[in-house]
Amino acid sequence: MNVGWAYLGLAAICVIVGAYMGMIQGRLLGDLVMLVSLPLIYVGSTSLAAGDVAEKLSENAIGSSTGSTEDSDEP
């Protein structure tokens, strides 16, 4: 499991708890909890994006090394 999903899950929990505290209980703390979710969303999404880029680069590196051997077999 990628750590980015954990950050995004934690951010979703913060949004739900913050919305409950802000709307139902009328506390300012709910707004602060929702603001905490913004950095969590940023960190989670950037780590997921970095993982996707690394995966594509490794697939391209593997594909280029196997692709050159397949092309050399053709007449």
Side-chain angles (χ1 to χ4, degrees):
M1 184 174 140
N2 200 341
V3 72
W5 290 113
Y7 282 120
L8 291 177
L10 189 59
I13 291 170
C14 285
V15 167
I16 292 169
V17 169
Y20 174 77
M21 290 175 70
M23 289 191 293
I24 304 299
Q25 296 177 349
R27 293 186 181 174
L28 182 62
L29 184 61
D31 295 334
L32 295 175
V33 171
M34 289 181 73
L35 285 176
V36 167
S37 70
L38 291 176
L40 291 174
I41 292 170
Y42 175 75
V43 170
S45 62
T46 54
S47 66
L48 284 176
D52 289 342
V53 169
E55 183 179 337
K56 287 180 184 178
L57 287 176
S58 66
E59 286 177 0
N60 288 341
I62 292 171
S64 65
S65 65
T66 59
S68 62
T69 58
E70 290 174 1
D71 291 339
S72 62
D73 291 342
E74 294 179 10

Coordinates of all heavy atoms in Angstrom, one line a residue:
M1 N 0.8 -1.2 0.0 CA 0.0 0.0 0.0 C 0.9 1.2 0.0 O 1.9 1.3 0.7 CB -0.9 0.0 1.2 CG -1.9 1.1 1.3 SD -3.0 0.9 2.7 CE -3.1 2.6 3.2
N2 N 0.5 2.2 -0.8 CA 1.3 3.4 -0.9 C 0.9 4.3 0.3 O -0.3 4.4 0.7 CB 0.9 4.1 -2.2 CG 2.0 5.1 -2.6 OD1 2.8 5.5 -1.8 ND2 2.0 5.4 -3.9
V3 N 1.9 5.0 0.8 CA 1.7 5.9 2.0 C 0.8 7.1 1.6 O 0.1 7.7 2.5 CB 3.0 6.3 2.6 CG1 3.7 7.3 1.7 CG2 2.8 6.9 3.9
G4 N 0.7 7.4 0.3 CA -0.2 8.5 -0.1 C -1.6 8.3 0.2 O -2.4 9.2 0.6
W5 N -2.1 7.0 0.1 CA -3.4 6.7 0.4 C -3.7 6.9 1.9 O -4.8 7.2 2.3 CB -3.8 5.3 -0.1 CG -3.8 5.2 -1.6 CD1 -3.0 4.5 -2.4 CD2 -4.8 5.8 -2.4 NE1 -3.3 4.7 -3.7 CE2 -4.4 5.4 -3.7 CE3 -5.9 6.6 -2.2 CZ2 -5.2 5.9 -4.8 CZ3 -6.6 7.1 -3.3 CH2 -6.2 6.7 -4.6
A6 N -2.7 6.6 2.7 CA -2.9 6.8 4.2 C -3.1 8.2 4.5 O -4.0 8.6 5.3 CB -1.7 6.2 4.9
Y7 N -2.3 9.1 3.9 CA -2.5 10.5 4.1 C -3.8 11.0 3.6 O -4.5 11.8 4.3 CB -1.4 11.3 3.4 CG 0.0 11.3 4.1 CD1 1.1 10.8 3.5 CD2 0.1 11.9 5.4 CE1 2.3 10.8 4.1 CE2 1.3 11.9 6.0 CZ 2.4 11.3 5.4 OH 3.6 11.3 6.0
L8 N -4.3 10.6 2.5 CA -5.6 11.0 1.9 C -6.7 10.5 2.8 O -7.7 11.2 3.0 CB -5.7 10.5 0.5 CG -4.8 11.3 -0.5 CD1 -5.0 10.7 -1.9 CD2 -5.1 12.8 -0.5
G9 N -6.6 9.3 3.3 CA -7.6 8.7 4.2 C -7.7 9.5 5.5 O -8.8 9.8 6.0
L10 N -6.5 9.9 6.1 CA -6.5 10.7 7.3 C -7.1 12.1 7.0 O -7.8 12.7 7.8 CB -5.0 10.9 7.8 CG -4.8 11.5 9.1 CD1 -5.6 10.8 10.2 CD2 -3.3 11.6 9.4
A11 N -6.8 12.6 5.8 CA -7.4 13.9 5.4 C -8.9 13.8 5.3 O -9.6 14.8 5.8 CB -6.8 14.4 4.1
A12 N -9.4 12.7 4.8 CA -10.9 12.5 4.7 C -11.5 12.5 6.1 O -12.6 13.1 6.3 CB -11.2 11.3 3.9
I13 N -10.8 11.8 7.0 CA -11.4 11.8 8.4 C -11.4 13.1 9.0 O -12.3 13.5 9.7 CB -10.5 10.8 9.2 CG1 -10.8 9.3 8.7 CG2 -10.8 10.9 10.7 CD1 -9.9 8.3 9.3
C14 N -10.3 13.9 8.8 CA -10.2 15.3 9.3 C -11.4 16.2 8.7 O -11.9 17.0 9.5 CB -8.9 15.9 9.0 SG -7.5 15.3 10.0
V15 N -11.7 16.0 7.5 CA -12.7 16.8 6.9 C -14.1 16.4 7.5 O -14.9 17.3 7.8 CB -12.8 16.6 5.3 CG1 -14.0 17.1 4.7 CG2 -11.5 17.2 4.7
I16 N -14.3 15.1 7.6 CA -15.6 14.7 8.2 C -15.7 15.2 9.7 O -16.8 15.7 10.1 CB -15.8 13.2 8.1 CG1 -15.9 12.8 6.7 CG2 -16.9 12.7 8.9 CD1 -15.8 11.3 6.4
V17 N -14.7 15.0 10.5 CA -14.8 15.4 11.9 C -14.8 17.0 12.0 O -15.6 17.5 12.8 CB -13.5 14.9 12.6 CG1 -13.4 15.5 14.0 CG2 -13.6 13.4 12.8
G18 N -14.1 17.7 11.1 CA -14.1 19.1 11.1 C -15.5 19.7 10.7 O -16.0 20.6 11.3
A19 N -16.1 19.0 9.7 CA -17.4 19.5 9.3 C -18.5 19.2 10.4 O -19.3 20.1 10.6 CB -17.8 18.7 8.0
Y20 N -18.3 18.1 11.0 CA -19.3 17.8 12.2 C -19.1 18.8 13.3 O -20.1 19.4 13.8 CB -19.0 16.4 12.7 CG -19.9 16.1 13.9 CD1 -21.2 15.8 13.8 CD2 -19.3 16.1 15.2 CE1 -22.0 15.6 14.9 CE2 -20.0 15.9 16.3 CZ -21.4 15.6 16.2 OH -22.1 15.3 17.3
M21 N -17.8 19.1 13.6 CA -17.6 20.0 14.7 C -18.0 21.4 14.4 O -18.5 22.2 15.2 CB -16.1 20.0 15.1 CG -15.7 18.7 15.8 SD -14.0 18.6 16.2 CE -13.8 19.8 17.5
G22 N -17.8 21.8 13.1 CA -18.1 23.2 12.7 C -19.6 23.4 12.5 O -20.1 24.5 12.9
M23 N -20.3 22.5 11.9 CA -21.7 22.7 11.6 C -22.6 22.3 12.8 O -23.5 23.1 13.1 CB -22.1 21.9 10.4 CG -21.5 22.5 9.1 SD -22.2 21.8 7.6 CE -21.7 20.1 7.6
I24 N -22.4 21.2 13.4 CA -23.3 20.7 14.4 C -23.0 21.3 15.7 O -23.9 21.8 16.4 CB -23.2 19.1 14.5 CG1 -23.5 18.5 13.2 CG2 -24.2 18.6 15.6 CD1 -24.9 18.7 12.6
Q25 N -21.7 21.4 16.1 CA -21.4 21.9 17.4 C -21.1 23.4 17.4 O -21.1 24.0 18.4 CB -20.2 21.1 18.0 CG -20.5 19.7 18.2 CD -19.3 18.9 18.7 OE1 -18.2 19.4 18.7 NE2 -19.5 17.7 19.2
G26 N -20.9 24.0 16.2 CA -20.6 25.4 16.1 C -19.3 25.8 16.7 O -19.2 27.0 17.2
R27 N -18.3 25.0 16.6 CA -17.0 25.4 17.2 C -16.0 25.8 16.1 O -16.1 25.4 15.0 CB -16.4 24.1 17.9 CG -17.2 23.7 19.1 CD -16.4 22.6 19.9 NE -17.2 22.2 21.0 CZ -16.8 21.2 21.7 NH1 -15.7 20.5 21.4 NH2 -17.5 20.8 22.8
L28 N -15.2 26.7 16.5 CA -14.1 27.1 15.6 C -13.1 26.0 15.4 O -12.4 26.0 14.4 CB -13.4 28.4 16.2 CG -12.3 29.0 15.4 CD1 -12.9 29.5 14.0 CD2 -11.7 30.2 16.1
L29 N -13.0 25.2 16.4 CA -12.0 24.1 16.3 C -12.3 23.2 15.1 O -11.4 22.6 14.5 CB -12.0 23.2 17.6 CG -11.0 22.1 17.7 CD1 -9.6 22.6 17.6 CD2 -11.3 21.3 18.9
G30 N -13.5 23.1 14.7 CA -13.9 22.3 13.5 C -13.3 22.9 12.2 O -12.8 22.2 11.4
D31 N -13.2 24.2 12.1 CA -12.6 24.9 11.0 C -11.1 24.6 11.0 O -10.5 24.4 9.9 CB -12.9 26.4 11.0 CG -14.3 26.7 10.8 OD1 -15.0 25.9 10.2 OD2 -14.8 27.8 11.3
L32 N -10.5 24.6 12.2 CA -9.0 24.4 12.3 C -8.7 22.9 11.9 O -7.7 22.7 11.2 CB -8.5 24.7 13.7 CG -8.6 26.1 14.1 CD1 -8.2 26.3 15.5 CD2 -7.8 27.0 13.2
V33 N -9.6 22.0 12.3 CA -9.4 20.6 11.9 C -9.5 20.4 10.4 O -8.7 19.7 9.8 CB -10.4 19.7 12.6 CG1 -10.3 18.3 12.1 CG2 -10.1 19.7 14.1
M34 N -10.4 21.1 9.8 CA -10.5 21.1 8.3 C -9.3 21.7 7.6 O -8.9 21.3 6.6 CB -11.8 21.8 7.9 CG -13.0 21.0 8.2 SD -14.6 21.7 7.6 CE -14.5 21.4 5.9
L35 N -8.7 22.7 8.2 CA -7.5 23.3 7.7 C -6.3 22.4 7.8 O -5.4 22.4 6.9 CB -7.2 24.7 8.4 CG -8.1 25.8 8.0 CD1 -7.7 27.1 8.8 CD2 -7.9 26.2 6.5
V36 N -6.3 21.6 8.8 CA -5.2 20.6 8.9 C -5.3 19.6 7.8 O -4.2 19.0 7.4 CB -5.3 19.9 10.3 CG1 -4.4 18.6 10.4 CG2 -5.0 20.8 11.4
S37 N -6.5 19.3 7.2 CA -6.6 18.4 6.2 C -5.9 18.8 4.9 O -5.5 18.0 4.0 CB -8.1 18.0 5.9 OG -8.7 19.1 5.3
L38 N -5.8 20.1 4.7 CA -5.2 20.6 3.4 C -3.7 20.2 3.2 O -3.4 19.7 2.2 CB -5.3 22.2 3.4 CG -6.7 22.7 3.2 CD1 -6.7 24.2 3.2 CD2 -7.4 22.2 1.9
P39 N -2.9 20.3 4.2 CA -1.5 19.8 4.1 C -1.5 18.3 3.9 O -0.6 17.8 3.1 CB -0.8 20.2 5.3 CG -1.6 21.3 6.0 CD -3.0 21.1 5.5
L40 N -2.4 17.6 4.5 CA -2.4 16.1 4.4 C -2.8 15.8 3.0 O -2.3 14.8 2.4 CB -3.4 15.5 5.4 CG -3.0 15.6 6.8 CD1 -4.2 15.1 7.7 CD2 -1.8 14.8 7.1
I41 N -3.8 16.5 2.4 CA -4.1 16.3 1.0 C -3.0 16.5 0.1 O -2.7 15.8 -0.9 CB -5.4 17.1 0.6 CG1 -6.6 16.6 1.4 CG2 -5.6 17.1 -0.9 CD1 -7.8 17.6 1.2
Y42 N -2.2 17.6 0.3 CA -1.1 17.9 -0.5 C 0.0 16.8 -0.5 O 0.5 16.4 -1.5 CB -0.5 19.3 -0.1 CG 0.7 19.6 -0.9 CD1 0.7 20.1 -2.2 CD2 2.0 19.5 -0.2 CE1 1.9 20.3 -2.9 CE2 3.1 19.8 -0.9 CZ 3.1 20.2 -2.2 OH 4.2 20.5 -2.9
V43 N 0.3 16.4 0.8 CA 1.4 15.4 0.9 C 0.9 14.1 0.3 O 1.7 13.4 -0.4 CB 1.7 15.3 2.4 CG1 2.6 14.1 2.7 CG2 2.4 16.5 2.9
G44 N -0.3 13.7 0.5 CA -0.8 12.5 0.0 C -0.8 12.4 -1.5 O -0.4 11.5 -2.2
S45 N -1.3 13.5 -2.1 CA -1.3 13.6 -3.6 C 0.0 13.6 -4.2 O 0.3 13.0 -5.3 CB -2.2 14.7 -4.1 OG -1.7 15.9 -3.7
T46 N 1.0 14.4 -3.6 CA 2.3 14.4 -4.2 C 3.0 13.1 -4.1 O 3.8 12.7 -5.0 CB 3.1 15.6 -3.6 OG1 3.1 15.4 -2.2 CG2 2.6 16.9 -4.0
S47 N 2.8 12.4 -3.0 CA 3.5 11.1 -2.8 C 2.9 10.1 -3.8 O 3.6 9.2 -4.3 CB 3.4 10.6 -1.4 OG 2.1 10.3 -1.0
L48 N 1.6 10.2 -4.1 CA 1.0 9.3 -5.1 C 1.5 9.6 -6.4 O 1.8 8.7 -7.2 CB -0.5 9.4 -5.0 CG -1.2 8.7 -3.9 CD1 -2.7 8.9 -3.9 CD2 -1.0 7.2 -3.9
A49 N 1.6 10.9 -6.7 CA 2.1 11.3 -8.1 C 3.6 10.9 -8.3 O 4.0 10.4 -9.3 CB 2.0 12.8 -8.3
A50 N 4.4 11.0 -7.2 CA 5.8 10.6 -7.3 C 5.9 9.1 -7.5 O 6.8 8.6 -8.2 CB 6.5 11.0 -6.1
G51 N 5.0 8.3 -6.9 CA 5.0 6.9 -7.1 C 4.6 6.5 -8.5 O 5.2 5.6 -9.0
D52 N 3.7 7.2 -9.1 CA 3.3 6.9 -10.4 C 4.4 7.2 -11.4 O 4.6 6.5 -12.4 CB 2.0 7.7 -10.8 CG 0.8 7.2 -10.1 OD1 0.8 6.1 -9.6 OD2 -0.2 8.0 -10.0
V53 N 5.1 8.3 -11.2 CA 6.2 8.7 -12.1 C 7.3 7.7 -12.0 O 7.8 7.3 -13.0 CB 6.7 10.2 -11.7 CG1 8.0 10.5 -12.5 CG2 5.6 11.2 -12.1
A54 N 7.6 7.3 -10.8 CA 8.7 6.3 -10.6 C 8.3 5.0 -11.3 O 9.2 4.3 -11.9 CB 9.0 6.1 -9.1
E55 N 7.1 4.6 -11.2 CA 6.6 3.3 -11.8 C 6.7 3.4 -13.3 O 7.1 2.5 -13.9 CB 5.2 3.0 -11.3 CG 4.6 1.7 -11.8 CD 3.2 1.5 -11.3 OE1 2.8 2.0 -10.3 OE2 2.5 0.7 -12.0
K56 N 6.3 4.5 -13.9 CA 6.3 4.7 -15.3 C 7.8 4.7 -15.8 O 8.1 4.1 -16.9 CB 5.6 6.0 -15.7 CG 4.1 5.8 -15.6 CD 3.4 7.1 -16.1 CE 1.9 7.0 -15.9 NZ 1.2 8.2 -16.2
L57 N 8.7 5.4 -15.1 CA 10.1 5.4 -15.5 C 10.7 4.0 -15.4 O 11.4 3.6 -16.3 CB 10.9 6.3 -14.6 CG 10.6 7.8 -14.8 CD1 11.4 8.6 -13.8 CD2 11.1 8.2 -16.2
S58 N 10.3 3.2 -14.4 CA 10.9 1.8 -14.3 C 10.3 1.0 -15.4 O 11.0 0.1 -16.0 CB 10.6 1.2 -12.9 OG 9.2 1.0 -12.7
E59 N 9.0 1.1 -15.7 CA 8.4 0.4 -16.9 C 9.1 0.8 -18.2 O 9.3 -0.1 -19.0 CB 6.9 0.6 -16.9 CG 6.1 -0.1 -15.8 CD 4.7 0.3 -15.9 OE1 4.2 1.0 -16.8 OE2 3.9 -0.2 -15.1
N60 N 9.4 2.0 -18.4 CA 10.0 2.5 -19.6 C 11.4 1.9 -19.7 O 11.9 1.5 -20.7 CB 10.0 4.0 -19.7 CG 8.7 4.6 -20.0 OD1 7.8 3.9 -20.5 ND2 8.5 5.8 -19.7
A61 N 12.1 1.9 -18.6 CA 13.5 1.3 -18.6 C 13.5 -0.2 -18.9 O 14.3 -0.6 -19.6 CB 14.2 1.6 -17.2
I62 N 12.5 -0.9 -18.3 CA 12.4 -2.3 -18.6 C 12.0 -2.5 -20.0 O 12.5 -3.4 -20.7 CB 11.5 -3.0 -17.6 CG1 12.1 -3.0 -16.2 CG2 11.1 -4.4 -18.0 CD1 11.1 -3.4 -15.1
G63 N 11.0 -1.7 -20.5 CA 10.5 -1.9 -21.8 C 11.6 -1.6 -22.9 O 11.7 -2.2 -23.9
S64 N 12.5 -0.6 -22.6 CA 13.5 -0.2 -23.6 C 14.6 -1.3 -23.7 O 15.1 -1.6 -24.7 CB 14.1 1.1 -23.3 OG 14.8 1.1 -22.0
S65 N 14.9 -2.0 -22.6 CA 15.9 -3.0 -22.6 C 15.4 -4.3 -23.3 O 16.1 -4.9 -24.0 CB 16.4 -3.3 -21.2 OG 15.4 -3.9 -20.4
T66 N 14.1 -4.6 -23.0 CA 13.5 -5.8 -23.7 C 13.1 -5.5 -25.1 O 13.2 -6.3 -26.0 CB 12.3 -6.3 -22.9 OG1 11.3 -5.3 -22.8 CG2 12.7 -6.8 -21.5
G67 N 12.8 -4.2 -25.4 CA 12.4 -3.8 -26.7 C 13.6 -3.9 -27.7 O 13.4 -4.2 -28.9
S68 N 14.8 -3.6 -27.3 CA 15.9 -3.6 -28.2 C 16.3 -5.1 -28.5 O 16.7 -5.3 -29.6 CB 17.1 -2.9 -27.5 OG 17.5 -3.6 -26.3
T69 N 16.1 -6.0 -27.6 CA 16.4 -7.4 -28.0 C 15.3 -8.0 -28.9 O 15.6 -8.8 -29.8 CB 16.5 -8.3 -26.7 OG1 15.2 -8.2 -26.0 CG2 17.6 -7.8 -25.8
E70 N 14.1 -7.5 -28.8 CA 13.0 -8.0 -29.6 C 13.2 -7.5 -31.0 O 13.0 -8.2 -32.0 CB 11.6 -7.6 -29.1 CG 11.3 -8.4 -27.8 CD 10.0 -7.9 -27.3 OE1 9.4 -6.9 -27.9 OE2 9.5 -8.4 -26.2
D71 N 13.6 -6.2 -31.2 CA 13.8 -5.6 -32.5 C 15.0 -6.3 -33.2 O 15.0 -6.3 -34.4 CB 14.1 -4.1 -32.4 CG 12.8 -3.4 -31.9 OD1 11.7 -4.0 -32.1 OD2 12.9 -2.3 -31.4
S72 N 16.0 -6.7 -32.5 CA 17.2 -7.3 -33.1 C 16.9 -8.7 -33.7 O 17.6 -9.1 -34.6 CB 18.4 -7.4 -32.2 OG 18.0 -8.3 -31.1
D73 N 15.8 -9.4 -33.3 CA 15.5 -10.7 -33.8 C 14.8 -10.6 -35.2 O 14.9 -11.6 -35.9 CB 14.6 -11.4 -32.8 CG 15.3 -11.8 -31.5 OD1 16.5 -11.8 -31.5 OD2 14.6 -12.1 -30.5
E74 N 14.2 -9.5 -35.5 CA 13.6 -9.3 -36.8 C 14.6 -9.1 -37.9 O 15.6 -8.5 -37.7 CB 12.6 -8.1 -36.7 CG 11.5 -8.3 -35.7 CD 10.6 -7.1 -35.7 OE1 10.8 -6.2 -36.5 OE2 9.8 -7.0 -34.8
P75 N 14.3 -9.7 -39.1 CA 15.2 -9.6 -40.2 C 15.2 -8.2 -40.8 O 14.4 -7.4 -40.7 CB 14.7 -10.6 -41.2 CG 13.4 -11.0 -40.8 CD 13.2 -10.6 -39.4

